[in-house]
Amino acid sequence: MINALPPSPIHPTVDFERDGVQHGFLRLPYSRDDSAWGSVMIPITTICNGEGPTALLTGANHGDEYEGPIALFDLARSLKPEEITGRVIIVPAMNYPAFCAGTRTSPIDRGNLNRSFPGRPDGTVTQKIADYFTRNLLPLADLVLDFHSGGKTLDFVPFAAAHILPDKEQEARCFAAVEAFSAPYSVRMLEIDAVGMYDTTAETLGKVFVTTELGGGGTARAETARIAKRGVRNVLRHAGILGGPIEKAPTRFIDMPSDDCFLFAEADGLIETCIDLGEPVRKGDVLARVYPIGRTGLAPAEYQAKLDGILVARHFPGLVKAGDCLAVLGTIED
Ligand code: ZN
């Protein structure tokens, strides 16, 4: 059925089969008022050296998440073909229009790339990017590493993650790559909204898939940028693409056993976060208070932990709206 679709309108300016380094673009035709035959030019690098596995490395699937682009623009410039066996395909800013705008979703079509998979060749700009990854890039890959962070509205303890999968052998290969990444935390991740995700598409195609949440707040910190740069090279070493030993660092395994991990605001207001990221919590502890801001004299709403664990994510801006994710808990496995 997938073969009945028309070909992608995206044209790569690199040859995926050629040895050496190529810096080019995925050129996506985008006809518009200020450029009748214009294009979106998504930067891409391929580094190839003979037969071997292929790694597909991506950042800025969401445009306001920065550790991935930092690590991948750096890797694209510094990784030499003679250092590797196989192929590395680097797209530092997958949703390039969103990345240029500094927003989670695309300013062109408001598309959230990580809710647009498997995409459409005849859809919006964001759907066309998703379709190109689904039908042209993912089939080339053995291992896929997709960097995320919290963006402007969330902040995370730095972790690499994989998902529970029906194929336990594939799941084990994913978690081995997560462990090789050597982030401070390694998470068995529960998604609240897995439909349309790049993750789900890559996993369904049988790939080894690693994702991350490395920080947030709409910026990157020195520590999280270092974790990203080390992690991507570690994953390439783990895959046998890059030589040399894995630069191990201590990691704590975290589980997300149920929907009780997530707390959502039920009213607008001013948030007082009562626990900092990484701190332990007990069931019943107050994680956050949300103060009504329309007048004085009203009690804040208190949001309590529904299980024992640690705080792995929190709302970042100081004001919240009903429905916002306030806090995410995980349970320590080790
Ligand atoms: Zn993201």
Side-chain angles (χ1 to χ4, degrees):
M1 195 174 82
I2 211 160
N3 294 323
L5 294 169
S8 172
I10 294 180
H11 290 278
T13 69
V14 295
D15 176 352
F16 293 105
E17 306 304 324
R18 194 201 300 168
D19 273 349
V21 179
Q22 300 168 78
H23 301 292
F25 300 95
L26 302 174
R27 190 177 64 76
L28 192 172
Y30 173 43
S31 178
R32 58 198 193 268
D33 287 346
D34 67 343
S35 188
W37 286 9
S39 303
V40 174
M41 302 291 274
I42 303 169
I44 185 169
T45 293
T46 61
I47 304 161
C48 301
N49 187 22
E51 291 296 310
T54 294
L56 175 58
L57 311 174
T58 48
N61 181 331
H62 294 127
D64 60 350
E65 302 174 5
Y66 296 101
E67 285 82 359
I70 289 168
L72 295 179
F73 275 111
D74 179 67
L75 187 74
R77 193 185 56 79
S78 58
L79 189 64
K80 304 280 184 287
E82 56 271 23
E83 290 180 276
I84 70 162
T85 305
R87 177 166 58 180
V88 181
I89 301 171
I90 305 171
V91 183
M94 232 178 152
N95 194 344
Y96 193 63
F99 177 68
C100 293
T103 51
R104 181 173 180 82
T105 62
S106 174
I108 296 173
D109 53 24
R110 301 312 334 165
N112 179 340
L113 181 56
N114 217 26
R115 301 293 183 276
S116 300
F117 279 82
R120 296 178 62 94
D122 56 355
T124 65
V125 164
T126 305
Q127 288 169 334
K128 285 171 179 169
I129 295 170
D131 171 69
Y132 188 78
F133 274 83
T134 299
R135 292 192 298 147
N136 295 77
L137 292 182
L138 282 174
L140 300 177
D142 301 290
L143 180 144
V144 183
L145 169 57
D146 185 37
F147 281 101
H148 288 258
S149 303
K152 285 177 178 159
T153 66
L154 292 171
D155 197 11
F156 285 85
V157 294
F159 67 78
H163 299 104
I164 309 284
L165 298 175
D167 179 342
K168 292 300 158 191
E169 193 271 327
Q170 181 190 7
E171 180 186 305
R173 288 189 288 130
C174 293
F175 280 101
V178 166
E179 191 168 3
F181 190 101
S182 287
Y185 296 91
S186 298
V187 176
R188 188 178 292 274
M189 198 149 172
L190 179 70
E191 298 290 350
I192 50 177
D193 187 17
V195 175
M197 290 179 71
Y198 181 48
D199 314 45
T200 311
T201 302
E203 287 158 357
T204 303
L205 291 170
K207 308 302 177 183
V208 172
F209 186 86
V210 176
T211 186
T212 73
E213 299 288 358
L214 290 176
T219 189
R221 291 178 283 117
E223 185 209 2
T224 56
R226 277 195 296 271
I227 292 165
K229 288 181 176 182
R230 180 184 67 202
V232 67
R233 286 178 175 270
N234 276 346
V235 167
L236 292 177
R237 291 184 187 109
H238 172 76
I241 295 172
L242 179 61
I246 290 171
E247 202 183 318
K248 279 269 179 196
T251 190
R252 300 193 78 182
F253 275 86
I254 289 181
D255 201 3
M256 292 169 64
S258 75
D259 287 347
D260 283 348
C261 294
F262 300 92
L263 281 183
F264 296 93
E266 296 184 356
D268 297 2
L270 164 70
I271 186 169
E272 175 190 1
T273 303
C274 304
I275 302 275
D276 281 322
L277 287 175
E279 287 189 349
V281 300
R282 303 303 297 264
K283 184 177 177 179
D285 285 354
V286 175
L287 298 181
R289 296 187 184 94
V290 176
Y291 294 85
I293 56 172
R295 59 163 301 154
T296 55
L298 299 176
E302 291 193 334
Y303 292 87
Q304 292 166 327
K306 292 182 237 170
L307 42 78
D308 295 350
I310 70 159
L311 187 68
V312 297
R314 52 155 287 189
H315 192 267
F316 191 78
L319 296 180
V320 299
K321 290 187 208 57
D324 285 356
C325 182
L326 294 179
V328 183
L329 296 179
T331 57
I332 297 283
E333 273 191 36
D334 47 30

